[in-house]
Each structure stands twice: as C-alpha cells, then as structure tokens.
Amino acid sequence: MMRVQDYLWVAEDGMKMQGYNGSQCWDTSFCAQALYEANLLDEFPDTTRRIWKYLERTQILSTEVSVYVALVACELFNDCQIKTDKASPAFQYETNEYRKQFYRHVSEGGWPFSTSAHGWPISDCTSEGLKASLCLLKSKTIKEGLKDGSLLDISHDRLGKAANVLLTYQNEDGGWATYENNRGWGWYEQLNPSEVFGDIMIDYSYVECSMACLTALIDFQEVLPDHRTDEIQESIEKGRLFLKSVQRSDGSWYGSWACCFTYGTFFGVEGLIKCGEPCDSPSILKACKFLLKHQLANGGWGEDFTSCYDKDYAKDGMKSYGDDGSSVVNTSWALLALSIAKCDDVEAVRRGVQYLIKRQLSCGDWPQEGISGVFNRSVGITYTAYRNVFPIWALGRCNHVYGDALNSP
C-alpha cells in the first residue's frame, strides 16, 4: 500500500493511473538527447550532472547499489560465495539455468522504463539510456565531473553489457520487440482473451524499438569500435533491412507506442539515415512526401487516437485538445524526421518551426494537448514531458541542419 501513490497522479485533465511507477528513465533519456542536439548540455550544467547521476544509478544490476544488495545477502545468508559472485537473489536470475527455467531475458546492463525499482530491461529503454549516456559523455560538464571524481563513471564494461542486451534482443526478422524475443506466431491473436487490447499475444518487432536499438549500437560502435565489431555490423544490417520491410506503401511507418504515423515515421527515417541510407533514396523521399502531405494550414501536424486503432492517418488531425488539428508533439516528430532527412522543402520546415515558436507559452513551457502515447492500439499514455522535450529537440535539430535559411521569408 505504501507504493500506491507512485501510481496515481493528477494531470491537467484529471486523475491518472499508471501502469508503472512512472516513465522517468524513458523521459530523461529523451531529454538528454534533446539538450545535446540543441547544444544546451553545458548551458545547464547542474541539470546535466543530475541527468548523468540518474542514468548511472538506474542501469540495471550495474551500480554500487547492486553490489550492496549482494553484500547484504552475504551477511544474511552467511555465504561468502554470494559476495564473490554478486549472486544476490537478483543476480541469481542472470544465470543461464535460471533464465532458461523462468523464460527470463538477460537483465544486467539494461535500462528500465522508470526507476531501478522497476528493474526490468526493455529494448528501447536500454537503447535510449545508452544513447543518452553517450551524448552526455561528449559534454564538458560530464568530462570534468568524471575527471575530478564528483561523478561516478559508466565504464566501458557497463556500456558493453548494455550493447549485449540489445544484441540478444534482436529477433530473427531483424527487428526488435520490447521485453523479450518473439516466441510465437501472429495466429496466436485468435486466442486473445482480452476485449480491449490488440496485438498482445506475442512480442512483435516494432519500428520504434528497432530504430532505438540500431542507433544505439551505431553510437556505441563509434565509442568502442573494436567491441564485437562483426556481430554489431551484422545486427545493424539486419535491422536496416527490417525497417525497410515494414515501411508502408504510402511512405509512412505505423507507430505502435504513440499517436502514430508521425511518430513511427520519425523513427523509421532516423533509423535508416543513421544506418547510412542516403537522403535521396526512394524510402526516405517517400517518407518525406508522406509527412509533407499531412502538414496543416497553420504549419503544424496533428494526429489523435484514431490513427492508432484505425491504422490510418487521423483525417481531422488532433481534433480535440489540439490547435486547429495540430499538436506541438506531432509537429516536433515530423520536423525531426524531415530535418534529419535534409528535406529540400525548406518552406515547409520553416512553417513547422514557426508553429512551434508561436505555440510556446510565456513561461517557456508548451501547452499540454491531447494524449500522445499509446500501447496495444487502444490504451492511451499521457507523457507530459513530451510537450517540452520534443519541441526543444526539433528546434535544435532544425537549427543545426538549416541554420539561417529558417529566417528567410
């Protein structure tokens, strides 16, 4: 009962019940990357240090806390072998025997969705945590903190264990699912006992998880190019082919974890570009064409929940809780995709950027609009941080790619 309050919170539109004890690690990882691309990490050194400390202590079974748990277990059970092997009850489940017996995936080195108390690695959460950590390592603030000892290090060994989690998560189709490998077939959905959830019987490969894992491995290889080089290269190539295989004929990707096609297309485009796909390839040009087609008169983009369960772009955009159909979050996702693809329709990008600037409030915040997150096609997730993180990220990237061209009439 002491933890019930962790799952309840009040948003602008009422009381919310969480499926986890928050989304702290997920949101923080995105925030770090947004600040990095906007060149703001060293502008706010205290924030940057606090983000690093959070990610360092949240990596699963990798911190001093994990070792402390093992030491406590040693004292409780008077078993020095526990101390030697770090075999606390949590570490015991990392053995091949236990993982096979309980169908558990490897955990050590991953990052969770929320906090270390959650303790369950997820492919994209591990990826975003790894990417965020690698971004932070490039900042002057973190370099100085590691040098003077005021910050704990995330060692190369720990980074390697995160990469190991990602490599083991890859499915035979080249993509990545969420919590585990694909262990079944699509016809299992005929046995779906729920009345409200779709596509839940097995863990499918998703464009979002696949892009996150691909780009994390690419960023990891830049830092540690000699670490399992052939395996990582093979994994990246298989993942690239998977992303191309799930692109829809209209150029979009269906987003399974947010609303919806702007989100999926952002992940699809970024994943391919980071894998080396040229900006003028048919896949990228089709994706840009799709996004440009759905830009609204006010310069923004918008989708609501109907995109998710209809699997078709919301014809009225974000009709409720948006701004004439547009949303700052959907607009940010579209701009992130267009800018990394170096879309040559600069006027469209300029209009999108101007829309985000216009929508920013005097306090610096952006308005909370309709629900942007989703899972299993029918359950909405309110990510309150998205309304600030993604506009900052999009504006930073667009400024880097287009520069003064965005100021031209």
Side-chain angles (χ1 to χ4, degrees):
M1 293 299 293
M2 293 175 62
R3 302 301 294 270
V4 169
Q5 292 185 357
D6 290 356
Y7 292 84
L8 297 173
W9 60 285
V10 179
E12 290 90 335
D13 54 349
M15 177 71 78
K16 306 288 183 178
M17 176 66 186
Q18 302 183 137
Y20 290 85
N21 61 326
S23 56
Q24 296 92 316
C25 190
W26 181 248
D27 293 335
T28 302
S29 299
F30 278 147
C31 181
Q33 295 174 75
L35 294 175
Y36 170 73
E37 284 213 47
N39 198 28
L40 293 172
L41 285 175
D42 294 321
E43 189 80 14
F44 301 98
D46 182 59
T47 297
T48 298
R49 282 191 290 267
R50 291 170 65 193
I51 291 174
W52 176 268
K53 289 178 180 179
Y54 184 80
L55 292 175
E56 187 281 325
R57 69 175 181 266
T58 306
Q59 191 179 14
I60 298 168
L61 297 178
S62 303
T63 67
E64 291 183 355
V65 173
S66 304
V67 177
Y68 173 74
V69 170
L71 293 175
V72 170
C74 175
E75 296 298 326
L76 286 175
F77 299 106
N78 194 27
D79 186 347
C80 292
Q81 190 64 34
I82 289 177
K83 181 176 180 180
T84 302
D85 296 338
K86 293 198 302 184
S88 72
F91 276 107
Q92 288 181 33
Y93 286 95
E94 288 293 288
T95 65
N96 290 332
E97 178 184 355
Y98 271 88
R99 288 197 288 110
K100 183 177 180 180
Q101 180 179 353
F102 296 106
Y103 297 92
R104 291 175 61 94
H105 200 84
V106 61
S107 298
E108 186 178 5
W111 269 276
F113 186 60
S114 56
T115 66
S116 56
H118 173 217
W120 197 281
I122 310 170
S123 67
D124 52 356
C125 296
T126 298
S127 300
E128 302 301 344
L130 177 56
K131 288 193 290 183
S133 300
L134 294 173
C135 284
L136 291 165
L137 280 170
K138 298 175 183 178
S139 74
K140 177 183 176 183
T141 299
I142 300 305
K143 289 178 181 177
E144 290 178 348
L146 293 173
K147 185 176 181 179
D148 65 24
S150 61
L151 296 175
L152 294 175
D153 190 19
I154 299 178
S155 66
H156 285 179
D157 180 63
R158 288 174 60 174
L159 296 176
K161 287 178 178 177
N164 178 66
V165 170
L166 301 184
L167 289 169
T168 59
Y169 263 132
Q170 190 169 25
N171 287 322
E172 291 185 5
D173 62 6
W176 280 263
T178 56
Y179 292 91
E180 60 185 29
N181 298 107
N182 185 306
R183 294 171 177 159
W185 294 269
W187 64 261
Y188 286 10
E189 296 301 335
Q190 301 299 317
L191 307 176
N192 186 342
S194 76
E195 296 182 356
V196 295
F197 302 127
D199 302 334
I200 65 168
M201 295 299 290
I202 59 176
D203 207 351
Y204 298 91
S205 292
Y206 298 99
V207 62
E208 301 100 309
C209 298
S210 300
M211 173 276 211
C213 294
L214 276 173
T215 54
L217 289 172
I218 290 168
D219 290 351
F220 171 82
Q221 200 166 53
E222 290 180 0
V223 176
L224 294 170
D226 298 326
H227 184 93
R228 300 172 69 173
T229 305
D230 292 341
E231 287 180 75
I232 291 176
Q233 282 299 119
E234 181 182 358
S235 175
I236 290 169
E237 177 58 18
K238 288 172 61 179
R240 183 185 71 84
L241 294 175
F242 171 79
L243 289 184
K244 298 191 82 167
S245 74
V246 294
Q247 186 178 21
R248 292 159 59 113
S249 59
D250 62 3
S252 70
W253 280 266
Y254 175 79
S256 298
W257 300 99
C259 304
C260 168
F261 291 99
T262 47
Y263 188 67
T265 303
F266 154 48
F267 277 84
V269 169
E270 180 150 335
L272 288 181
I273 294 290
K274 289 285 189 72
C275 285
E277 188 82 8
C279 293
D280 60 354
S281 80
S283 295
I284 301 302
L285 293 177
K286 282 173 60 178
C288 290
K289 183 178 180 180
F290 170 84
L291 291 173
L292 294 172
K293 174 184 174 182
H294 290 286
Q295 188 174 26
L296 297 174
N298 60 12
W301 282 262
E303 294 179 80
D304 64 10
F305 215 44
T306 59
S307 284
C308 304
Y309 56 77
D310 289 341
K311 291 195 172 182
D312 194 19
Y313 198 96
K315 63 180 181 178
D316 295 321
M318 185 171 279
K319 184 176 181 180
S320 300
Y321 307 109
D323 173 48
D324 289 333
S326 290
S327 155
V328 295
V329 176
N330 292 127
T331 300
S332 299
W333 291 332
L335 288 173
L336 283 164
L338 292 172
S339 54
I340 199 169
K342 295 181 173 60
C343 175
D344 58 9
D345 191 341
V346 181
E347 176 58 26
V349 175
R350 184 187 302 118
R351 291 174 56 223
V353 167
Q354 289 173 347
Y355 175 78
L356 290 181
I357 293 172
K358 181 188 71 174
R359 289 288 286 162
Q360 189 174 24
L361 304 176
S362 59
C363 64
D365 200 0
W366 273 270
Q368 182 67 51
E369 298 173 326
I371 288 177
S372 56
V374 70
F375 68 92
N376 298 127
R377 291 180 61 187
S378 61
V379 184
I381 312 175
T382 299
Y383 288 109
T384 55
Y386 279 16
R387 71 190 190 210
N388 292 324
V389 168
F390 285 106
I392 291 172
W393 198 341
L395 291 174
R397 179 177 292 180
C398 287
N399 180 63
H400 175 74
V401 172
Y402 295 100
D404 292 337
L406 296 176
N407 299 323
S408 302

